[in-house]
Amino acid sequence: MVMGEPSREEYKIQSFDAETQQLLKTALKDPGAVDLEKVANVIVDHSLQDGVFSKEAGRMCYAIIQAESKQAGQSLFRRGLLNRLQLEYQAREQLRARSLQGWVCYVTFICNIFDYLRVGEAPAATWVADSLCPEDQEACSRLSALLWPFPQVNNMPMMALVNPVYDCLFRLAQPDSLSKEEEVDCLVLQLHRVGEQLEKMNGQRMDELFVLIRDGFLLPTGLSSLAQLLLLEIIEFRAAGWKTTPAAQNYYYSEVAD
Amino acid sequence: MVMGEPSREEYKIQSFDAETQQLLKTALKDPGAVDLEKVANVIVDHSLQDGVFSKEAGRMCYAIIQAESKQAGQSLFRRGLLNRLQLEYQAREQLRARSLQGWVCYVTFICNIFDYLRVGEAPAATWVADSLCPEDQEACSRLSALLWPFPQVNNMPMMALVNPVYDCLFRLAQPDSLSKEEEVDCLVLQLHRVGEQLEKMNGQRMDELFVLIRDGFLLPTGLSSLAQLLLLEIIEFRAAGWKTTPAAQNYYYSEVAD
C-alpha cells in the first residue's frame, strides 16, 4: 500500500492532540455522542492559535453542522460556534491588544465561517438582532424576496455575519493596522476570498472600506513597500470585478518580474 | 441679436494674434490659398506654448485636413504636421530639459492628434517606418485584415503614432518625471483620453507602462500625495476596463468627501 497524502479533512484534524482528534472524529460521525458546544469551543480555541487551521476551519465546521442536522435535525454546534464567535467579536479590541496573531487568526476564522456557512442548511442562528443594522434587515428581506422561488436561497451567505465580518475588515483598514504587515496581509487575503460575496450583501460598506484602503496611501507615516503592493493589488482586483487581470497577474505574482 | 458664446473652433482661433487668426481661417475655408506647411508649424508652435490650446488642437488640425482633402485631394498640411511632430519627438529630451511646460504641451498635443486623426481620412502619412516596431506592423496588418470588410477601417487610429505616443507616456512614467506633478498630471490625463485606444493597438506596451506606474509607488524618494492619488485613480480606471466605477467617482471626484 502506497503511503498517500492525508485527505484535507484528516490533515486538519491532525493538527490537534490525540484526544481532541478523537472528539472531532466522533463529532463528524456521531455528533449526538459528544458535547457539541465543547467541540465548537475546541475548534475556535485552536483557530485562534493556528493560522493555517483558521484558514480552513470553516470546512470542518460545515461538515459537523451537516452531520448534526442530518442525524438530529438540530444545530447545537452551529449555535455554540456562533455564540463563541460573537463573544470573541465583542472583545476583539482586547484580543488585538493582547495578541496580534490571535486577532489575525480570529478574522481569518470568521471570514472562513462566513465563506462556508450558508443560510438554510440548519435552523437560523441565534446571533442576529444585535449585529444586524436596519439596512441589512432590509437588504435581507429584499434578497430573500428575490431569491425565494429559487433553490439558491439555501446557498446565501449568513446575513448575521455580514456586519461582524465588515467590522473586522474595517478594523484592519485603520491606520494603526495598515502599518502592520500581518494585518494588511490578512485584510487582502480575506478580501480575495470573500470580498465579492460581501460586496453583494452590502455594497455601500465595501465602498467605505475601500475609501479607508485608498486613504492608506496618504498616511503621513507611510506604508511599507509590501503593504503598498498588497493594497494596490486588491484595489486593482476589485476594480476589475474581483478578478486578477493577466497584466496584474504578471506584475504581482510573477517570480521573475523584470 | 444675443451675444453668444464663441463656438469652440472660434474660441481656439482667438488665442492667436490677428494675422494668424486670418491665416487659420483661410486654411479652413480655402486651404489652397495658404502655405499649409507654415500653418502646421504655426499650430505646433502655439501648442507648445499654450497648454489649453494643445488639449484641443487636434480638432482644428482635423478640420484643416478635411478641408484640404475635399478641395484638392491632398495632404500637405497633414504631412507638414506629422513631419514637425516627428522633429519635436526626436528632440524630446532636449525639449524636456529646456522647458518642462513645453514638453507637457508636446505630449498633450501629440496625444490629441492621435485621438483626432484617423486612418483613411487622407493619404497615408510620411511618418512611418522609423517609428514603427515590427510588432506594430504585424498588429496593423492583423487589425486591417480584421477590419477590412467594414467601413470602420476609416476610423482606426494612425498606427504610425502609436509608438511615439507610447514613448512619450513611458517618459512621463520614469522616476524623475513621476516626482513632478505636472508630468504625472499629464500622464493620467492622456491615459484617460487615449489609454483605451492605445491598449487596443498595443496591449503589451500598455502592460509595460502600468508596470512603471505601479513601480512608482515603490520609489525610494516617494511620491507626493497628489501624484499617488492620480496614479491610484488611473490604475483603478484601467482595471475597471477604462471606466470610472461609481465608488471611484465618489472617492476621487467628490468635492465633499467625508
Side-chain angles (χ1 to χ4, degrees), chain A residues 214-215 235-236 239-240 251-252, chain B residues 214-215 235-236 239-240 251-252:
Chain A
R214 294 188 196 98
D215 282 349
I235 286 173
E236 278 199 67
Y251 186 79
Y252 297 106
Chain B
R214 295 188 196 98
D215 282 349
I235 286 173
E236 279 199 66
Y251 185 79
Y252 297 106

Side-chain angles (χ1 to χ4, degrees), chain A residues 207 210-218 224-226 228-229 232 235-241 245-248 250-252 258, chain B residues 207 210-218 224-226 228-229 232 235-241 245-248 250-252 258:
Chain A
D207 287 348
F210 271 79
V211 166
L212 294 180
I213 291 175
R214 294 188 196 98
D215 282 349
F217 287 90
L218 307 178
S224 72
S225 295
L226 177 60
Q228 295 205 53
L229 275 182
L232 211 50
I235 286 173
E236 278 199 67
F237 184 76
R238 183 197 180 205
T245 63
N250 278 340
Y251 186 79
Y252 297 106
D258 57 345
Chain B
D207 287 349
F210 272 79
V211 166
L212 294 180
I213 291 175
R214 295 188 196 98
D215 282 349
F217 287 90
L218 308 178
S224 72
S225 296
L226 177 60
Q228 294 207 51
L229 276 182
L232 210 51
I235 286 173
E236 279 199 66
F237 183 76
R238 183 197 179 203
T245 63
N250 278 338
Y251 185 79
Y252 297 106
D258 58 346

Side-chain angles (χ1 to χ4, degrees), chain A residues 9 14-15 23 25 28 41 43 96 100 109 128 161 170 174-175 181 192 198 200 210 219 223 234 240 246:
Chain A
E9 232 89 335
Q14 280 163 13
S15 68
L23 177 72
K25 282 179 184 164
L28 284 160
N41 281 319
I43 290 178
R96 181 173 179 275
L100 201 67
F109 183 64
V128 272
L161 288 179
F170 270 72
Q174 297 302 311
E181 280 178 5
H192 270 274
L198 279 174
K200 281 182 191 149
F210 271 79
L219 290 177
L223 296 176
I234 200 68

